[in-house]
Amino acid sequence: MVSSSHEALHRIFQEDPALFARAVRTLGVSFAEPVSAVPLTTDLTENRPVERRVDTLLRMETGDGGSFLLAVESQGKRDHDKPASWAYYVSHLHAKYRLPPVLLVVCADRRTAAWAARQVDIGPPQWPSLTVRPLVLGPDQLPVIDSPDEAARDIPLTVLSAALHRRDPDADAILKALASALKGLSADDENTASIFIELTEQGLGKTPAADLWRQIMAADLSFFQSETAQSLRAEGRNEGRAEGRAGALLLLLDRRGVGVSEEERARISGCTDMEVLDVWLTRAITASSAAEVFGEGE
C-alpha cells in the first residue's frame, strides 16, 4: 500500500514544478527555470498484463525554449527490481513523447538514497546498451532550511526539506521555520497554505516530527480563521481532516481546469471517508473530468 509520506515526496513537485530546478542545484546540476509544466498521465502500461506506473510525470517547458519530461519517483526502501523499472520508464517515455526524460528519485532514508544514486549499466560489461542514472534527492543532498526568512523565500523547498530530514535532530527547527513562513502568508494565500500544511503532515509520516507538527499547527494556526484552519486545530477529528482533503481536491481540479458541477462539488465536499478522498485525489492528478475522479465508467 502506498503511504502518505510516499505521496508527499512526489506530489510536492505537482504543486510547484519549478521546485525541481531549485532542488537539484544542490546536486550541482543546472536546469533552466521552468515557466510552465503540464501534468501527464502517470500510467505507462502497455497492452499486456504488466502494469507500470510512475509516481509523478510532468512535461516541463523552460524559459530558454526547451522541453523535457520529469518523472519523479518516491522511494522508501531499496528494491532491486526498481532499476529495471526505471530503465523501462525512461526508454518508454522517450519513445512515446520524443522528449528527453529526466528521472528524479526522492528518498527520506540515507541508505536508500545512496543505493538509488548508483549508476546501473544494462547489458554486457564490455558494451552496456543502456545506463540508468537518476538524480537523487535525500537528506544528504538537500540542505536543512531552519531560517524563517529562508523558509519564506521558498516554502515548497522547505516542505521538501522537512520531509527528507524528518528523522534528523534538525527537523524541529525546520518545522518551526516553516510554520513562521506560513504565518506570513496573506489571507488570500490560505488555500495554498492549507495544501502545504497537508503535504508537510503527509511527508513527515509516522515520526516524532509529525507529532510536533500537529502541535505547532494546533497552536499557531490561529492566524487563519477559516473552517480549514479550525479543523486542523481540532486534532484527531476525522470530519475536519476530510474537509481539508476535500478542499485540496477541489483546488487541484480548479487549477487543472477540470469542470466541476454544483452536484459534483457537493459530493466531494460532503464526503467524510478519508480513503475515498485519497483515491479521488490521486485520480484528480491526471483526470480530465469529475466522472474520471469518481471512477465512473471504469
Side-chain angles (χ1 to χ4, degrees):
M1 180 178 293
V2 177
S3 65
S4 293
S5 58
H6 172 101
E7 291 292 316
L9 288 180
H10 67 87
R11 275 189 54 212
I12 184 68
F13 294 94
Q14 298 169 17
E15 296 299 332
D16 183 3
L19 171 63
F20 163 72
R22 303 195 302 273
V24 299
R25 286 174 194 153
T26 63
L27 305 176
V29 181
S30 178
F31 280 84
E33 190 77 13
V35 294
S36 68
V38 178
L40 303 175
T41 178
T42 60
D43 192 347
L44 306 183
T45 307
E46 294 186 14
N47 292 326
R48 57 180 182 173
V50 179
E51 178 180 310
R52 301 184 187 273
R53 194 177 295 271
V54 69
D55 287 334
T56 282
L57 180 61
L58 299 167
R59 173 175 175 150
M60 310 285 273
E61 307 290 342
T62 61
D64 58 3
S67 301
F68 66 94
L69 299 175
L70 175 63
V72 185
E73 282 279 281
S74 173
Q75 192 68 28
K77 61 183 180 181
R78 285 178 284 187
D79 180 349
H80 296 293
D81 291 331
K82 269 296 182 178
S85 296
W86 293 339
Y88 173 88
Y89 296 165
V90 171
S91 58
H92 177 86
L93 291 172
H94 180 263
K96 181 176 181 178
Y97 293 101
R98 298 297 178 182
L99 288 171
V102 176
L103 174 63
L104 176 68
V105 180
V106 189
C107 312
D109 176 75
R110 284 180 167 81
R111 286 182 294 182
T112 303
W115 163 81
R118 298 177 308 159
Q119 177 173 306
V120 177
D121 293 325
I122 298 176
Q126 65 269 33
W127 194 270
S129 298
L130 180 65
T131 296
V132 181
R133 192 176 62 152
L135 287 168
V136 177
L137 286 174
D140 292 332
Q141 287 74 43
L142 199 70
V144 169
I145 300 178
D146 55 7
S147 160
D149 289 341
E150 188 178 358
R153 285 194 292 271
D154 200 331
I155 288 177
L157 191 65
T158 308
V159 173
L160 185 59
S161 177
L164 295 184
H165 292 280
R166 62 196 182 200
R167 296 185 180 90
D168 294 351
D170 298 310
D172 292 8
I174 299 173
L175 295 178
K176 291 174 182 176
L178 177 58
S180 176
L182 291 169
K183 191 173 182 178
L185 294 176
S186 67
D188 293 338
D189 292 322
E190 182 178 338
N191 285 334
T192 299
S194 296
I195 290 173
F196 289 127
I197 289 169
E198 185 72 17
L199 278 173
T200 301
E201 183 173 348
Q202 289 182 350
L204 296 174
K206 296 180 180 179
T207 62
D211 296 331
L212 174 63
W213 180 244
R214 284 189 286 270
Q215 293 172 14
I216 292 174
M217 291 297 95
D220 289 354
L221 277 182
S222 58
F223 55 89
F224 287 140
Q225 299 302 320
S226 71
E227 293 181 5
T228 300
Q230 293 169 15
S231 68
L232 285 168
R233 288 197 296 271
E235 179 181 359
R237 288 173 52 191
N238 290 333
E239 183 179 351
R241 288 175 56 80
E243 184 179 349
R245 192 65 53 85
L249 171 57
L250 288 169
L251 180 63
L252 175 60
L253 292 172
D254 180 64
R255 287 192 171 184
R256 294 193 58 239
V258 177
V260 180
S261 68
E262 290 301 320
E263 182 180 353
E264 291 164 338
R265 186 176 297 273
R267 181 177 176 182
I268 293 172
S269 299
C271 181
T272 58
D273 189 321
M274 290 295 292
E275 291 187 4
V276 171
L277 286 168
D278 281 340
V279 171
W280 289 352
L281 190 60
T282 300
R283 290 174 178 164
I285 295 169
T286 56
S288 59
S289 68
E292 287 185 33
V293 172
F294 298 136
E296 296 171 351
E298 291 185 348

